[in-house]
Amino acid sequence: MFPDWISHQAQAKPGHTALVVDEKEWTFVELDAAVTKTSRKLATFGVRAGDRIGTLLHNSFELAVLPHAALRLGATLVPLNVRLSEYELAWQIGDSSPRVLMVDARTHDLAASALREHPAVRALAPDEFAAALESDIDLRLRHDGDSVLATVYTSGTTGRPKGAMLTVSNFWWSAIGSAMNLGTQPEDRWLACMPLFHVGGLSILIRSAIYGITAVVHDGFDETAVDSAIDDGVSVVSVVAVMLERMLDQREGRSYPSTLRCILLGGGPAPLRLLERSMSMSAPVVQTYGLTETCSQAVTLSLEGATDRPGASGKALYPNEIHIEQSAEYLSVEGAGEILVRGPIVMKGYAGQSEATALAIRGGWLHTGDIGRLDEQGYLYVLDRRDDLIVTGGENVYPAEVEAVLLSHPSVAEAGVIGIADDEWGQSFVAIMRLSKPNGGPVPDAAALDAYCRARLAGYKIPKEFRFVSQSLPRTASGKLRRSELREFANVRPGTRHSSA
């Protein structure tokens, strides 16, 4: 059992700043009171132990409080991506079946549309929730480590996302492993400028509460605001490569202050030129590798060795283990294979998907699907994100999910999606299609398919290019797409959004 960390910090360091949002500060005592109030109001709307609390919220004080409030009720937080389309959101709501869905002014209309299919789920707008009475119920101040604190959706290779169930113990050991590697200082301020509905942002809230340090939450990423926050004392910040590039541009060659201890860089392998530029500006960049299924970080460089091994993601965070499972499929690079992770940070499983869980976790090892190698000292080098995964601006996109939408169009007979290099976003992607003869309707062009996708997918999942071919796409004997041949097959090169071949 784990004592409630917010309650503990409220007694241990009551006047210490726990949270900063929009330049407003809350001490641990004030945050503790807000968590209690939020828990009791949720109970008024029928939330009880075992229920799920859906959120469709931008970064805010309300979203920062909800994970702790869910804990005290014995409920599970289900943070949903505010960038989802109505179609995607409706599916995830149906899959997770939350008791309530917390919304804000910017997501209210989207939620209302998605909930037409789920009338039993009650949307709670800010004004209604603020005016609610507090239910007089007993709250939990000790938590079972096996309890699911949050179910966070991650893209799925079959075209449907999966809800990774992350437990109290997962978050605890993630925090401990990070602290043993990077250290903690009483005056640390950890900046969350990534969405709190992603595991990278959510873990900052939990980690900061466990450490008793300050979490600084920004509404989104803005390089000017981040630069100012660093000058005001932020000591740790978590970003992806495209964000770091913009931070360095904003800094205009000026060195970073010594109070900035660490810039955690995730989201896939970083370009060497970016790491070299960071070093020239005294930016303490530490590469890291993790997944939703590992509750954020699984492997991270140390602060001392960050500049010694450019390109490495580091060593497994204690007490977790990394293993490379080699096979003939990956022999093009010596020592390369699938990255496996074992340890207390590995998720409990995928919610409602026992077969997917059994496939992902075998013999205690999480099979990530990512490709990497270990050097003689045990440092991990990530060679590629999962076989088909595209990482664009820090967001994960699986080709199969985009292909499924394209194939739902009546005039698309075949569709394949592949990633291409993108100087700004790291990667973007191209859709390659063979059209069928429409039944009396017009033949769709790139613009029409772009609009079709935008009605069904988040903006970051829209292909940068649409290319049309007349021949069948290359496939294996079993009918699977040969993605390695698609690029040459369609003569794919970076270009404008609307193009054809």
Side-chain angles (χ1 to χ4, degrees):
M1 298 291 287
F2 292 85
D4 185 88
W5 31 72
I6 293 294
S7 176
H8 169 77
Q9 300 298 355
Q11 298 178 48
K13 45 200 321 184
H16 191 87
T17 301
L19 183 65
V20 179
V21 185
D22 293 331
E23 299 183 356
K24 183 177 179 180
E25 299 187 358
W26 288 263
T27 65
F28 275 109
V29 160
E30 292 167 336
L31 180 58
D32 181 55
V35 170
T36 295
K37 178 181 290 188
T38 299
S39 301
R40 295 190 183 284
K41 287 188 175 187
L42 285 167
T44 297
F45 290 103
V47 179
R48 295 292 187 271
D51 286 339
R52 286 163 294 283
I53 303 166
T55 68
L56 193 65
L57 299 171
H58 293 80
N59 285 11
S60 58
F61 173 72
E62 290 73 19
L63 183 51
V65 169
L66 279 165
H68 310 300
L71 259 183
R72 291 194 181 174
L73 288 167
T76 296
L77 189 76
V78 184
L80 301 173
N81 191 331
V82 299
R83 298 172 66 184
L84 294 177
S85 69
E86 175 189 329
Y87 173 82
E88 293 168 304
L89 180 60
W91 187 89
Q92 290 190 15
I93 291 172
D95 186 63
S96 58
S97 299
R99 170 75 65 178
V100 295
L101 179 66
M102 310 293 290
V103 303
D104 58 33
R106 287 181 280 175
T107 63
H108 182 275
D109 291 345
L110 172 62
S113 298
L115 288 176
R116 281 197 291 260
E117 297 182 26
H118 307 288
V121 180
R122 181 168 183 171
L124 293 178
D127 290 346
E128 181 182 11
F129 192 73
L133 298 175
E134 297 177 37
S135 178
D136 184 18
I137 65 168
D138 292 332
L139 299 177
R140 304 183 178 201
L141 294 180
R142 292 181 62 81
H143 312 299
D144 184 348
D146 199 44
S147 296
V148 179
L149 193 162
T151 295
V152 183
Y153 278 90
T154 182
S155 298
T157 55
T158 60
R160 285 293 193 187
K162 299 188 289 290
M165 297 185 291
L166 303 176
T167 66
V168 171
S169 182
N170 290 155
F171 280 100
W172 172 266
W173 284 107
S174 176
I176 297 303
S178 180
M180 292 183 70
N181 180 53
L182 300 177
T184 61
Q185 296 182 4
E187 299 306 315
D188 269 342
R189 296 166 69 90
W190 201 313
L191 174 61
C193 53
M194 297 190 297
L196 299 181
F197 51 73
H198 283 332
V199 72
L202 179 60
S203 64
I204 293 172
L205 295 178
I206 307 300
R207 192 178 297 138
S208 298
I210 291 172
Y211 299 160
I213 64 172
T214 304
V216 180
V217 176
H218 284 188
D219 180 48
F221 176 77
D222 177 88
E223 57 268 37
T224 302
V226 170
D227 199 59
S228 177
I230 289 171
D231 284 338
D232 287 343
V234 157
S235 56
V236 185
V237 58
S238 301
V239 294
V240 296
V242 65
M243 299 161 82
L244 177 59
E245 191 89 59
R246 288 165 59 181
M247 286 170 57
L248 299 180
D249 289 344
Q250 174 66 28
R251 201 74 185 174
E252 297 179 344
R254 295 177 290 119
S255 295
Y256 282 92
S258 59
T259 48
L260 179 63
R261 295 201 304 115
C262 178
I263 300 175
L264 270 174
L265 182 63
L272 182 58
R273 60 168 179 79
L274 180 60
L275 298 176
E276 292 173 340
R277 185 184 178 199
S278 300
M279 286 188 279
S280 72
M281 296 174 61
S282 301
V285 173
V286 172
Q287 287 202 86
T288 183
Y289 165 77
L291 308 91
T292 302
E293 293 90 337
T294 62
C295 203
S296 190
Q297 299 176 60
V299 172
T300 307
L301 281 169
S302 66
L303 288 167
E304 295 76 16
T307 60
D308 298 337
R309 288 178 169 81
S313 294
K315 293 185 177 182
L317 296 180
Y318 184 85
N320 305 287
E321 302 170 81
I322 293 290
H323 174 68
I324 301 297
E325 185 173 84
Q326 293 181 272
S327 69
E329 185 178 356
Y330 309 121
L331 290 182
S332 57
V333 177
E334 184 178 357
E338 183 179 9
I339 302 169
L340 275 56
V341 182
R342 180 168 66 181
I345 59 170
V346 173
M347 66 173 180
K348 188 173 186 176
Y350 295 117
Q353 299 196 40
S354 56
E355 290 184 8
T357 299
L359 185 63
I361 304 175
R362 287 171 266 156
W365 289 94
L366 172 69
H367 289 245
T368 70
D370 293 339
I371 311 307
R373 65 177 179 85
L374 293 171
D375 67 12
E376 296 80 2
Q377 285 74 43
Y379 285 87
L380 176 68
Y381 290 77
V382 180
L383 304 178
D384 197 1
R385 297 295 284 180
R386 309 174 188 193
D387 289 341
D388 300 326
L389 180 65
I390 297 165
V391 182
T392 176
E395 296 277 6
N396 293 346
V397 179
Y398 274 96
E401 185 179 10
V402 182
E403 289 163 0
V405 170
L406 289 168
L407 289 169
S408 71
H409 191 287
S411 295
V412 176
E414 291 186 283
V417 171
I418 57 174
I420 57 174
D422 188 299
D423 289 340
E424 181 178 8
W425 301 109
Q427 282 184 298
S428 56
F429 50 103
V430 173
I432 302 162
M433 289 158 294
R434 180 175 63 84
L435 301 181
S436 59
K437 293 181 179 179
N439 296 323
V443 176
D445 58 11
L449 287 170
D450 183 285
Y452 185 82
C453 289
R454 287 185 183 279
R456 294 161 175 81
L457 292 169
Y460 63 86
K461 298 178 183 178
I462 308 302
K464 184 175 183 179
E465 296 182 33
F466 294 85
R467 290 180 174 262
F468 302 97
V469 297
S470 57
Q471 296 174 297
S472 296
L473 302 188
R475 295 182 180 276
T476 66
S478 63
K480 293 182 180 179
L481 274 176
R482 293 185 181 271
R483 296 191 190 279
S484 60
E485 298 177 15
L486 275 179
R487 189 180 307 277
E488 183 178 356
F489 177 80
N491 192 27
V492 171
R493 296 183 300 272
T496 58
R497 178 177 295 281
H498 302 308
S499 61
S500 62

